[in-house]
Amino acid sequence: MTYIFYNPLSNNKKGKSDSEQAEKLIQDKEISYFDITAATAKNLLTGLKENDTAVICGGDGTLHHFVNALYDECGSADAIKVNLFYYPTGSGNDFMHDVAGKNEKKLIQLRPYITDLPSVTINGKKSHFLNGVGAGLDGWCCSEVERIRRKKADKKINYTPIALRGLLYAYKPISATVIADGVEHRYTGVWILPAMNGR
């Protein structure tokens, strides 16, 4: 049996209809759809049998939340024993472009990309990341965008004035400790600190 876990909010709330395109690539007559944002989805996903197939449909944000749920609650990505695939239905799909190298949407074997992921700890909260992570001004801008989006869900958001506000007065530089290849580096007055796992 194939289970398609979709994010209804991905690609500007077209996630469900976009995920139905994955069905054309699946060689299975028995397919069930589940909202990955529902509370019961994680329990269902970790309870599937080894001969089942699970397809995660969404964008980079969906993958980020999915991977961190696995690491946070199950300890690692190995908690899921099923055949695990990803089908891109986001607006940017950076992960897909990184690993598939084309604009063509296709099923991507997910397991090789979600084991032994790098992590970042910000304000005591540890997160793993597939593509990249930004601390400092870029992270602050993303946080501001999410704050505005929660208040004004239908309003189009322009990053430029947010970044300018941060540069001029709102963002305060941070201290950071970076461990790369086992070597620890400490910095103060950090304005931007990106770390990349993907290309």
Side-chain angles (χ1 to χ4, degrees):
M1 176 112 180
T2 297
Y3 297 84
I4 295 179
F5 293 86
Y6 67 92
N7 181 349
L9 303 176
S10 66
N11 197 17
N12 298 308
K13 301 184 180 175
K14 294 184 222 162
K16 174 68 163 75
S17 60
D18 287 353
S19 68
E20 291 167 359
Q21 300 303 309
E23 196 170 323
K24 298 172 185 172
L25 305 173
I26 297 168
Q27 308 293 316
D28 196 338
K29 291 182 180 173
E30 288 188 88
I31 298 175
S32 292
Y33 286 84
F34 295 92
D35 179 346
I36 199 168
T37 64
T40 55
K42 186 173 38 194
N43 293 338
L44 175 62
L45 192 52
T46 53
L48 296 179
K49 300 182 183 84
E50 288 189 34
N51 58 342
D52 289 328
T53 296
V55 180
I56 309 301
C57 294
D60 296 312
T62 303
L63 276 177
H64 172 80
H65 287 288
F66 167 70
V67 164
N68 279 285
L70 288 182
Y71 276 86
D72 290 349
E73 300 191 25
C74 305
S76 76
D78 297 331
I80 294 182
K81 305 297 182 190
V82 299
N83 299 311
L84 188 59
F85 291 90
Y86 169 65
Y87 182 76
T89 62
S91 52
N93 299 319
D94 290 337
F95 173 75
M96 182 208 64
H97 297 305
D98 199 22
V99 301
K102 296 179 180 177
N103 288 329
E104 174 189 4
K105 290 186 177 183
K106 59 184 180 181
L107 288 174
I108 297 167
Q109 183 73 257
L110 192 53
R111 192 171 306 283
Y113 301 104
I114 62 173
T115 54
D116 291 328
L117 286 175
S119 64
V120 62
T121 304
I122 298 174
N123 295 331
K125 180 172 177 12
K126 183 176 182 178
S127 296
H128 292 82
F129 58 97
L130 275 140
N131 297 340
V133 65
L137 180 61
D138 59 339
W140 179 86
C141 288
C142 291
S143 177
E144 280 295 288
V145 165
E146 286 305 309
R147 185 183 65 76
I148 294 166
R149 190 171 280 143
R150 281 193 296 275
K151 283 184 174 180
K152 304 170 183 178
D154 296 330
K155 183 181 177 187
K156 189 170 180 177
I157 300 170
N158 185 340
Y159 278 78
T160 304
I162 293 170
L164 286 172
R165 186 163 46 90
L167 275 169
L168 293 173
Y169 64 89
Y171 171 75
K172 305 296 180 221
I174 60 171
S175 297
T177 301
V178 178
I179 302 171
D181 299 325
V183 180
E184 184 176 294
H185 308 272
R186 293 178 181 269
Y187 302 95
T188 58
V190 175
W191 278 86
I192 186 167
L193 181 63
M196 295 296 137
N197 185 40
R199 287 182 293 171

